[in-house]
Coordinates of all heavy atoms in Angstrom, one line a residue:
M28 N 0.8 -1.2 0.0 CA 0.0 0.0 0.0 C 0.9 1.2 0.0 O 1.8 1.3 0.8 CB -0.9 0.0 1.2 CG -1.6 1.3 1.5 SD -2.5 1.4 3.0 CE -4.0 0.7 2.6
S29 N 0.6 2.1 -0.9 CA 1.3 3.4 -0.9 C 0.6 4.4 -0.1 O -0.6 4.6 -0.2 CB 1.4 3.9 -2.4 OG 2.0 5.2 -2.4
V30 N 1.3 5.1 0.8 CA 0.7 6.1 1.7 C 1.3 7.5 1.3 O 2.5 7.7 1.4 CB 0.9 5.8 3.2 CG1 0.3 6.9 4.0 CG2 0.4 4.5 3.5
T31 N 0.4 8.4 0.8 CA 0.9 9.7 0.4 C 0.6 10.7 1.5 O -0.3 10.5 2.3 CB 0.2 10.1 -0.9 OG1 -1.2 10.1 -0.7 CG2 0.5 9.2 -2.0
G32 N 1.4 11.8 1.4 CA 1.2 12.9 2.3 C 1.8 12.8 3.7 O 1.7 13.7 4.5
L33 N 2.5 11.7 4.0 CA 3.1 11.5 5.2 C 4.6 11.5 5.0 O 5.1 10.6 4.3 CB 2.7 10.2 5.9 CG 1.2 10.2 6.4 CD1 0.8 8.9 6.9 CD2 1.0 11.3 7.4
T34 N 5.4 12.4 5.6 CA 6.8 12.5 5.4 C 7.5 12.4 6.7 O 6.9 12.4 7.8 CB 7.2 13.8 4.7 OG1 6.7 14.9 5.5 CG2 6.5 13.9 3.3
T35 N 8.8 12.3 6.7 CA 9.7 12.2 7.9 C 9.2 11.1 8.8 O 9.1 11.3 10.0 CB 9.7 13.6 8.6 OG1 8.4 13.9 9.1 CG2 10.3 14.7 7.7
V36 N 9.1 9.9 8.3 CA 8.8 8.8 9.1 C 10.0 8.2 9.8 O 11.0 8.0 9.1 CB 8.1 7.7 8.2 CG1 7.9 6.4 9.0 CG2 6.9 8.2 7.6
R37 N 9.9 8.1 11.1 CA 11.0 7.6 11.9 C 11.1 6.0 11.9 O 12.1 5.4 11.7 CB 11.0 8.1 13.3 CG 12.1 7.5 14.2 CD 12.0 8.1 15.6 NE 12.2 9.5 15.4 CZ 12.2 10.4 16.4 NH1 12.0 10.0 17.6 NH2 12.4 11.7 16.2
T38 N 9.9 5.4 12.1 CA 9.9 3.9 12.1 C 8.5 3.5 11.8 O 7.5 4.2 12.0 CB 10.4 3.4 13.5 OG1 10.5 2.0 13.5 CG2 9.4 3.8 14.6
I39 N 8.4 2.2 11.4 CA 7.1 1.7 11.0 C 7.1 0.2 11.4 O 8.1 -0.5 11.4 CB 6.8 1.9 9.5 CG1 5.4 1.6 9.2 CG2 7.8 1.1 8.7 CD1 5.0 2.0 7.8
A40 N 5.9 -0.3 11.8 CA 5.8 -1.7 12.2 C 4.4 -2.2 11.7 O 3.4 -1.4 11.7 CB 5.8 -1.9 13.7
G41 N 4.4 -3.4 11.2 CA 3.2 -3.9 10.6 C 2.7 -5.2 11.4 O 3.6 -6.1 11.7
G42 N 1.4 -5.3 11.6 CA 0.8 -6.5 12.2 C 0.2 -7.3 11.1 O 0.4 -7.0 9.9
K43 N -0.6 -8.3 11.4 CA -1.2 -9.1 10.4 C -2.2 -8.3 9.6 O -2.3 -8.4 8.4 CB -1.9 -10.3 11.0 CG -2.4 -11.3 10.0 CD -2.9 -12.5 10.7 CE -3.3 -13.6 9.7 NZ -3.8 -14.8 10.3
Y44 N -3.0 -7.4 10.2 CA -4.0 -6.6 9.6 C -3.9 -5.1 9.8 O -4.9 -4.4 9.5 CB -5.4 -7.1 10.0 CG -5.6 -8.5 9.7 CD1 -5.7 -9.5 10.7 CD2 -5.8 -8.9 8.3 CE1 -6.0 -10.8 10.4 CE2 -6.0 -10.3 8.0 CZ -6.1 -11.2 9.0 OH -6.3 -12.5 8.7
H45 N -2.9 -4.6 10.4 CA -2.8 -3.2 10.7 C -1.3 -2.7 10.7 O -0.4 -3.5 10.8 CB -3.5 -2.8 12.0 CG -2.8 -3.3 13.2 ND1 -2.7 -4.6 13.6 CD2 -2.1 -2.6 14.2 CE1 -2.0 -4.7 14.7 NE2 -1.6 -3.5 15.1
T46 N -1.1 -1.4 10.6 CA 0.2 -0.8 10.6 C 0.3 0.4 11.5 O -0.7 1.1 11.7 CB 0.6 -0.4 9.2 OG1 0.4 -1.5 8.3 CG2 2.0 0.2 9.1
I47 N 1.4 0.6 12.2 CA 1.6 1.8 13.0 C 2.9 2.4 12.5 O 3.9 1.8 12.2 CB 1.7 1.4 14.5 CG1 1.9 2.7 15.3 CG2 2.8 0.4 14.8 CD1 1.8 2.5 16.8
M48 N 2.9 3.8 12.5 CA 4.0 4.5 12.0 C 4.3 5.7 12.9 O 3.4 6.3 13.4 CB 3.7 5.1 10.6 CG 4.6 6.1 10.1 SD 4.1 6.7 8.4 CE 2.4 7.0 8.6
L49 N 5.6 5.9 13.3 CA 6.0 7.0 14.1 C 6.7 8.0 13.3 O 7.7 7.6 12.6 CB 6.9 6.5 15.3 CG 7.4 7.5 16.3 CD1 6.2 8.1 17.0 CD2 8.4 6.9 17.2
K50 N 6.3 9.2 13.3 CA 6.9 10.3 12.6 C 8.0 11.0 13.4 O 7.9 10.9 14.6 CB 5.9 11.3 12.1 CG 4.9 10.7 11.0 CD 4.0 11.7 10.5 CE 4.7 12.9 9.9 NZ 3.8 13.9 9.4
D51 N 8.9 11.7 12.8 CA 9.9 12.5 13.5 C 9.3 13.5 14.5 O 10.0 13.8 15.5 CB 10.8 13.2 12.5 CG 11.8 12.2 11.9 OD1 12.0 11.1 12.4 OD2 12.4 12.6 10.9
D52 N 8.1 14.0 14.3 CA 7.5 14.9 15.2 C 6.9 14.3 16.4 O 6.4 15.0 17.3 CB 6.5 15.8 14.5 CG 5.3 15.0 14.0 OD1 5.2 13.8 14.3 OD2 4.4 15.5 13.3
G53 N 7.0 13.0 16.5 CA 6.6 12.3 17.7 C 5.1 11.7 17.6 O 4.7 11.0 18.5
N54 N 4.4 12.1 16.5 CA 3.1 11.6 16.4 C 3.1 10.2 15.8 O 3.9 9.9 14.9 CB 2.3 12.5 15.4 CG 1.9 13.8 16.1 OD1 1.5 13.8 17.2 ND2 2.1 14.9 15.4
A55 N 2.1 9.4 16.3 CA 2.0 8.0 15.8 C 0.7 8.0 14.9 O -0.3 8.5 15.3 CB 1.9 7.0 16.9
W56 N 0.8 7.3 13.8 CA -0.3 7.1 12.9 C -0.6 5.6 12.6 O 0.4 4.9 12.5 CB 0.0 7.8 11.5 CG 0.1 9.3 11.6 CD1 1.3 9.9 12.1 CD2 -0.8 10.2 11.3 NE1 1.0 11.3 12.1 CE2 -0.2 11.5 11.5 CE3 -2.1 10.2 10.7 CZ2 -0.9 12.7 11.3 CZ3 -2.8 11.4 10.5 CH2 -2.2 12.6 10.8
T57 N -1.8 5.2 12.6 CA -2.2 3.8 12.4 C -3.2 3.7 11.3 O -4.0 4.6 11.0 CB -2.7 3.2 13.7 OG1 -3.8 3.9 14.1 CG2 -1.6 3.1 14.7
W58 N -3.3 2.5 10.7 CA -4.4 2.2 9.7 C -4.5 0.7 9.6 O -3.5 -0.1 10.0 CB -4.1 2.9 8.4 CG -2.9 2.4 7.6 CD1 -2.9 1.5 6.6 CD2 -1.6 2.9 7.7 NE1 -1.6 1.3 6.1 CE2 -0.8 2.2 6.8 CE3 -1.0 3.8 8.6 CZ2 0.6 2.4 6.7 CZ3 0.4 4.1 8.4 CH2 1.1 3.4 7.5
G59 N -5.6 0.2 9.2 CA -5.9 -1.2 9.0 C -7.1 -1.7 9.7 O -8.0 -0.9 10.1
K60 N -7.2 -2.9 9.9 CA -8.3 -3.5 10.7 C -8.3 -3.1 12.1 O -7.2 -2.9 12.7 CB -8.2 -5.1 10.6 CG -9.4 -5.8 11.0 CD -9.3 -7.3 10.7 CE -10.6 -8.0 11.1 NZ -10.5 -9.4 10.8
N61 N -9.4 -2.8 12.7 CA -9.5 -2.2 14.0 C -10.5 -2.9 14.9 O -11.1 -2.3 15.8 CB -9.8 -0.7 13.9 CG -9.5 0.1 15.1 OD1 -8.7 -0.3 16.0 ND2 -10.2 1.2 15.2
T62 N -10.8 -4.2 14.7 CA -11.8 -4.9 15.4 C -11.7 -4.8 16.9 O -12.7 -4.7 17.6 CB -11.7 -6.4 15.0 OG1 -11.8 -6.5 13.6 CG2 -12.9 -7.2 15.6
N63 N -10.4 -4.8 17.4 CA -10.2 -4.8 18.9 C -9.7 -3.4 19.4 O -9.2 -3.3 20.5 CB -9.2 -5.9 19.3 CG -9.6 -7.2 18.9 OD1 -10.7 -7.7 19.2 ND2 -8.8 -8.0 18.1
G64 N -9.9 -2.4 18.5 CA -9.4 -1.1 18.9 C -7.9 -0.9 18.9 O -7.4 0.0 19.5
Q65 N -7.2 -1.8 18.1 CA -5.8 -1.8 18.1 C -5.2 -0.6 17.4 O -4.0 -0.3 17.6 CB -5.2 -3.1 17.5 CG -5.6 -3.3 16.0 CD -6.9 -4.2 15.9 OE1 -7.8 -4.1 16.6 NE2 -6.8 -5.2 15.0
L66 N -6.0 0.2 16.7 CA -5.4 1.4 16.1 C -5.2 2.6 17.0 O -4.5 3.5 16.7 CB -6.3 1.9 14.9 CG -6.4 0.9 13.8 CD1 -7.2 1.5 12.6 CD2 -5.1 0.4 13.3
G67 N -5.8 2.5 18.2 CA -5.6 3.6 19.2 C -6.4 4.9 18.9 O -6.0 5.9 19.4
D68 N -7.4 4.8 18.1 CA -8.2 6.0 17.8 C -9.5 6.1 18.5 O -10.4 6.8 18.2 CB -8.4 6.2 16.3 CG -9.2 5.0 15.7 OD1 -9.5 4.0 16.4 OD2 -9.7 5.2 14.5
N69 N -9.6 5.3 19.5 CA -10.9 5.2 20.4 C -12.1 4.7 19.6 O -13.2 5.1 19.9 CB -11.1 6.5 21.1 CG -10.1 6.8 22.2 OD1 -9.6 5.9 22.7 ND2 -9.9 8.1 22.5
T70 N -11.9 3.9 18.5 CA -13.0 3.4 17.8 C -12.6 1.9 17.5 O -11.6 1.4 17.8 CB -13.2 4.1 16.4 OG1 -12.2 3.7 15.5 CG2 -13.3 5.6 16.6
T71 N -13.6 1.2 16.8 CA -13.3 -0.1 16.3 C -13.6 0.0 14.8 O -13.9 -1.0 14.1 CB -14.2 -1.2 16.9 OG1 -15.5 -0.8 16.9 CG2 -13.7 -1.4 18.4
T72 N -13.4 1.1 14.2 CA -13.7 1.3 12.7 C -12.4 1.0 11.9 O -11.3 1.5 12.3 CB -14.0 2.8 12.5 OG1 -15.2 3.1 13.2 CG2 -14.3 3.0 11.0
Q73 N -12.6 0.2 10.9 CA -11.4 -0.1 10.0 C -11.0 1.1 9.3 O -11.9 1.9 8.8 CB -11.8 -1.2 9.0 CG -10.7 -1.6 8.1 CD -11.1 -2.7 7.2 OE1 -11.6 -3.7 7.6 NE2 -10.7 -2.6 5.9
R74 N -9.7 1.4 9.2 CA -9.2 2.6 8.5 C -8.3 2.2 7.3 O -7.4 1.4 7.5 CB -8.4 3.4 9.5 CG -9.1 3.8 10.8 CD -10.2 4.7 10.6 NE -10.8 5.1 11.8 CZ -11.7 6.0 12.0 NH1 -12.1 6.7 10.9 NH2 -12.2 6.3 13.2
T75 N -8.7 2.7 6.1 CA -7.9 2.5 5.0 C -6.9 3.6 4.7 O -6.0 3.5 3.8 CB -8.8 2.3 3.7 OG1 -9.6 3.5 3.6 CG2 -9.7 1.1 3.9
T76 N -6.9 4.7 5.5 CA -5.9 5.7 5.4 C -5.5 6.0 6.9 O -6.2 5.7 7.8 CB -6.5 7.0 4.8 OG1 -7.7 7.4 5.6 CG2 -7.0 6.8 3.4
P77 N -4.2 6.5 7.0 CA -3.7 6.7 8.4 C -4.5 7.7 9.2 O -5.0 8.7 8.7 CB -2.3 7.3 8.1 CG -2.0 6.8 6.7 CD -3.3 6.8 6.0
V78 N -4.7 7.3 10.5 CA -5.3 8.2 11.5 C -4.3 8.4 12.6 O -3.5 7.6 13.0 CB -6.6 7.6 12.0 CG1 -7.7 7.5 11.0 CG2 -6.4 6.3 12.7
L79 N -4.4 9.6 13.2 CA -3.5 10.0 14.3 C -4.0 9.2 15.6 O -5.1 9.2 15.9 CB -3.6 11.5 14.6 CG -2.7 12.1 15.6 CD1 -1.3 11.9 15.3 CD2 -3.1 13.6 15.8
V80 N -3.0 8.6 16.3 CA -3.3 7.9 17.5 C -3.7 9.0 18.5 O -3.0 10.0 18.7 CB -2.0 7.1 18.0 CG1 -2.3 6.5 19.3 CG2 -1.7 6.0 16.9
V81 N -4.7 8.7 19.3 CA -5.3 9.6 20.2 C -4.3 9.9 21.4 O -4.1 11.0 21.9 CB -6.7 9.2 20.7 CG1 -7.2 10.1 21.8 CG2 -7.6 9.2 19.5
S82 N -3.8 8.8 22.0 CA -2.9 8.9 23.2 C -1.6 9.6 22.8 O -1.0 9.3 21.8 CB -2.7 7.5 23.8 OG -3.9 6.9 24.1
V83 N -1.1 10.4 23.7 CA 0.2 11.1 23.5 C 1.2 10.4 24.4 O 1.2 10.5 25.6 CB 0.1 12.6 23.8 CG1 1.4 13.2 23.6 CG2 -1.0 13.2 23.0
Y84 N 2.1 9.6 23.8 CA 3.2 8.9 24.5 C 4.5 8.9 23.7 O 4.5 9.1 22.5 CB 2.8 7.4 24.7 CG 1.7 7.2 25.7 CD1 0.4 7.2 25.3 CD2 2.0 7.0 27.0 CE1 -0.7 7.0 26.2 CE2 1.0 6.8 27.9 CZ -0.3 6.8 27.5 OH -1.3 6.6 28.4
T85 N 5.6 8.7 24.4 CA 6.8 8.4 23.7 C 6.8 6.9 23.5 O 6.7 6.1 24.4 CB 8.0 8.8 24.6 OG1 8.0 10.1 24.9 CG2 9.3 8.4 23.9
I86 N 6.9 6.5 22.2 CA 6.6 5.1 21.9 C 7.7 4.5 21.0 O 8.4 5.1 20.3 CB 5.3 4.8 21.3 CG1 5.2 5.5 19.9 CG2 4.1 5.3 22.1 CD1 4.0 5.2 19.1
T87 N 7.8 3.2 21.1 CA 8.5 2.3 20.2 C 7.5 1.4 19.7 O 7.2 0.4 20.4 CB 9.7 1.6 20.9 OG1 10.5 2.5 21.6 CG2 10.5 0.8 19.9
P88 N 7.0 1.6 18.4 CA 5.9 0.7 18.0 C 6.4 -0.7 17.7 O 7.4 -0.9 17.2 CB 5.4 1.4 16.7 CG 6.5 2.4 16.3 CD 7.4 2.6 17.5
S89 N 5.5 -1.6 18.0 CA 5.6 -3.0 17.6 C 4.2 -3.6 17.4 O 3.4 -3.6 18.3 CB 6.3 -3.8 18.8 OG 6.4 -5.1 18.5
A90 N 4.0 -4.1 16.2 CA 2.6 -4.6 15.9 C 2.6 -6.1 15.8 O 3.5 -6.7 15.2 CB 2.1 -4.0 14.6
G91 N 1.6 -6.7 16.5 CA 1.4 -8.1 16.4 C 0.2 -8.5 15.6 O -0.3 -7.6 14.9
T92 N -0.3 -9.7 15.7 CA -1.4 -10.2 14.9 C -2.6 -9.4 15.2 O -3.3 -8.9 14.3 CB -1.6 -11.6 15.1 OG1 -0.5 -12.4 14.7 CG2 -2.8 -12.1 14.3
N93 N -3.0 -9.3 16.4 CA -4.3 -8.6 16.8 C -4.1 -7.4 17.7 O -5.1 -7.0 18.3 CB -5.2 -9.6 17.5 CG -5.6 -10.8 16.6 OD1 -6.0 -10.5 15.4 ND2 -5.5 -12.0 17.0
G94 N -2.9 -6.9 17.8 CA -2.8 -5.7 18.6 C -1.5 -5.0 18.4 O -0.6 -5.4 17.6
T95 N -1.4 -3.8 19.0 CA -0.2 -3.0 18.8 C 0.4 -2.7 20.2 O -0.3 -2.3 21.1 CB -0.5 -1.6 18.2 OG1 -1.1 -1.9 16.9 CG2 0.7 -0.8 18.0
I96 N 1.6 -3.1 20.4 CA 2.3 -2.9 21.7 C 3.1 -1.6 21.6 O 3.9 -1.5 20.7 CB 3.2 -4.1 22.0 CG1 2.4 -5.4 22.0 CG2 3.9 -3.9 23.3 CD1 3.2 -6.6 22.0
T97 N 2.9 -0.7 22.6 CA 3.7 0.5 22.6 C 4.3 0.7 24.0 O 3.8 1.5 24.8 CB 2.9 1.7 22.2 OG1 1.7 1.8 23.0 CG2 2.4 1.6 20.7
P98 N 5.4 0.0 24.3 CA 6.1 0.3 25.6 C 6.4 1.8 25.6 O 6.9 2.4 24.7 CB 7.4 -0.5 25.5 CG 7.2 -1.5 24.4 CD 6.2 -0.9 23.5
S99 N 5.9 2.5 26.7 CA 6.0 3.9 26.6 C 6.0 4.6 28.0 O 5.8 4.0 29.0 CB 4.7 4.4 25.9 OG 3.6 4.0 26.6
T100 N 6.3 5.9 27.9 CA 6.3 6.7 29.1 C 5.4 7.9 28.7 O 5.6 8.6 27.8 CB 7.7 7.2 29.4 OG1 8.5 6.1 29.6 CG2 7.6 8.1 30.7
P101 N 4.3 8.1 29.5 CA 3.4 9.3 29.1 C 4.2 10.6 29.2 O 5.0 10.7 30.1 CB 2.3 9.2 30.2 CG 2.3 7.8 30.7 CD 3.7 7.3 30.6
Q102 N 3.9 11.4 28.3 CA 4.6 12.8 28.4 C 3.8 13.7 27.5 O 3.0 13.3 26.7 CB 6.0 12.7 27.9 CG 6.2 12.5 26.4 CD 7.7 12.6 26.1 OE1 8.5 12.2 26.9 NE2 8.0 13.0 24.9
T103 N 4.1 15.0 27.7 CA 3.5 16.0 26.8 C 4.4 16.3 25.7 O 5.6 16.4 25.9 CB 3.3 17.3 27.6 OG1 2.4 17.0 28.7 CG2 2.6 18.4 26.8
V104 N 3.8 16.4 24.5 CA 4.6 16.6 23.3 C 4.4 18.1 22.9 O 3.3 18.6 22.9 CB 4.3 15.7 22.1 CG1 5.0 16.1 20.9 CG2 4.5 14.3 22.5

């Protein structure tokens, strides 16, 4: 899948049905299947384009089959 309009990507991780991307500005974006709320946008709506993750954390993204793990420390960005 080609994603346009998103630049300065620091890291990206893909699960079986979803993807998480961390940009240089500290914002995390996700898209894909969202049955269990794994996209972090406070919905269970499937997303075919990236959406900004609602929670603000310092993260290292890691995506699994049915979820996204973000070991993190809450902070203000």
Side-chain angles (χ1 to χ4, degrees):
M28 167 189 275
S29 176
V30 179
T31 58
L33 294 174
T34 58
T35 63
V36 175
R37 178 175 298 179
T38 188
I39 192 166
K43 189 170 183 179
Y44 300 111
H45 71 288
T46 303
I47 182 170
M48 169 179 49
L49 180 64
K50 293 182 60 179
D51 282 344
D52 64 6
N54 287 317
W56 295 78
T57 57
W58 64 96
K60 193 171 181 180
N61 196 23
T62 306
N63 301 308
Q65 60 265 44
L66 298 185
D68 65 348
N69 289 335
T70 75
T71 54
T72 303
Q73 180 173 318
R74 306 292 183 174
T75 56
T76 57
V78 293
L79 184 62
V80 174
V81 175
S82 301
V83 178
Y84 289 92
T85 300
I86 65 171
T87 303
S89 176
T92 300
N93 294 315
T95 300
I96 302 169
T97 56
S99 58
T100 304
Q102 72 175 31
T103 302
V104 174

